[in-house]
Amino acid sequence: MPPLRTALLQSSGRLGDTADNLTALDEAAARAAQAGAGLLVTSEMFLTGYALEIEDIARLAEPADGTSARAIGEIARRHGVAVLYGYPERDGGAVYNAAQLVGPDGARLANYRKTHLFGCFEQDAFTPGDTPVVQADLNGLRIGVMICYDVEFPENVRAHALAGTDLLLVPTAQMHPFQFVAEQLVPVRAFENQMYIAYVNRTGPEGEFEFVGLSCLASPDGVTRTRAGRGEELVFGEADPELLRASRETNPYLRDRRPGLYASLV
């Protein structure tokens, strides 16, 4: 099975301008396809921007099968590239910080709602999701999805490891002064859970926040396979099933677990 070439779109898009962000996504998908990528991953809340007023988040939120979802399905189909994008999802009276995976044929494969909301801003704007492990199959790999702060909880990522996730996609809005998460924590999570992690950040100032970029693809051997800088950038990395298999044979963490000792964690 060949590696899955993965494109990481480090960008904040244009705040509050869904149409412009769809155009930027279309252009990035074209570049990703031209570079041989089978998957394009965007940042958290890419569709609308992150640092919005709560009423604007509510106004711009769309259902998982809404107008923008259909437009992104067409972008994916036209370029033959799977797309994972962050957006505010409306479901009845609730608004979720969500991420949706669309296949290269334009079909919706998975929709995830952020389970761990960061700070007062997110807790006031969103309803927390209640499904920790969301997965789909793509190019022979089991793909998992979570969002930003979720990856900082070891239990979350371990749950994905136990469910067989091979490549964990993490759109994020990671800000100063927490860049150590991108630089140190994410590669450790990949190593201790024996998976690839694509961590894709926003960049630059936005409202009261300063996003630090530093998007990366970390591999199960703890190596950062690709790393973006601090600005707008499209970078590429390979999720290699053969490296994954070899690393899992060598690393004993999951085999040596003793779950009977961990009851106090819950």
Side-chain angles (χ1 to χ4, degrees):
M1 186 165 45
L4 175 60
R5 187 161 173 78
T6 303
L8 315 183
L9 177 58
Q10 179 168 285
S11 173
S12 292
R14 181 172 293 180
L15 189 64
D17 193 337
T18 298
D20 191 77
N21 295 332
L22 285 171
T23 298
L25 182 62
D26 192 8
E27 293 170 353
R31 292 168 58 198
Q34 199 166 40
L39 172 64
L40 170 66
V41 185
T42 77
S43 57
E44 181 177 2
M45 292 281 286
F46 177 80
L47 188 62
T48 60
Y50 181 88
L52 295 161
E53 298 295 331
I54 290 176
E55 57 268 25
D56 290 327
I57 292 174
R59 176 176 58 84
L60 293 168
E62 299 184 26
D65 60 353
T67 302
S68 293
R70 293 192 293 274
I72 292 170
E74 175 56 25
I75 289 170
R77 187 199 61 76
R78 189 165 63 253
H79 298 295
V81 176
V83 176
L84 186 283
Y85 67 99
Y87 75 110
E89 179 197 354
R90 175 170 295 286
D91 185 0
V95 175
Y96 299 91
N97 184 336
Q100 184 150 245
L101 178 64
V102 178
D105 59 355
R108 294 186 297 118
L109 299 180
N111 189 68
Y112 173 78
R113 296 165 172 175
K114 189 173 186 178
T115 54
H116 295 73
L117 300 177
F118 178 76
C120 295
F121 167 68
E122 289 193 7
Q123 291 166 11
D124 290 343
F126 301 108
T127 298
D130 58 8
T131 304
V133 177
V134 170
Q135 298 171 308
D137 294 321
L138 181 69
N139 288 40
L141 293 173
R142 178 64 53 88
I143 307 296
V145 185
M146 60 176 55
I147 298 172
C148 196
Y149 194 39
D150 291 328
V151 81
E152 298 177 40
F153 292 81
E155 302 90 343
N156 254 18
V157 188
R158 181 53 53 87
H160 269 275
L162 297 178
T165 293
D166 300 314
L167 169 59
L168 184 62
L169 309 181
V170 189
T172 191
Q174 201 264 307
M175 57 200 71
H176 178 81
F178 306 113
Q179 52 265 30
F180 70 89
V181 174
E183 294 172 330
Q184 300 171 39
L185 187 148
V186 169
V188 169
R189 286 282 182 274
F191 180 74
E192 68 190 6
N193 290 289
Q194 288 300 290
M195 63 177 63
Y196 282 92
I197 301 180
Y199 185 80
V200 186
N201 201 10
R202 304 179 70 80
T203 181
E206 188 178 313
E208 63 183 287
F209 308 111
E210 177 73 31
F211 299 115
V212 301
L214 301 174
S215 301
C216 65
L217 179 69
S219 58
D221 56 4
V223 174
T224 300
R225 296 290 161 175
T226 190
R227 168 81 69 190
R230 295 298 186 106
E232 300 265 340
E233 199 169 349
L234 184 67
V235 298
F236 298 87
E238 311 280 343
D240 184 354
E242 180 54 32
L243 186 151
L244 186 64
R245 183 199 61 75
S247 183
R248 285 172 171 173
E249 281 187 2
T250 303
N251 188 307
Y253 281 165
L254 298 180
R255 294 191 299 274
D256 288 350
R257 291 172 66 252
R258 298 181 62 193
L261 301 180
Y262 311 147
S264 62
L265 291 178
V266 295

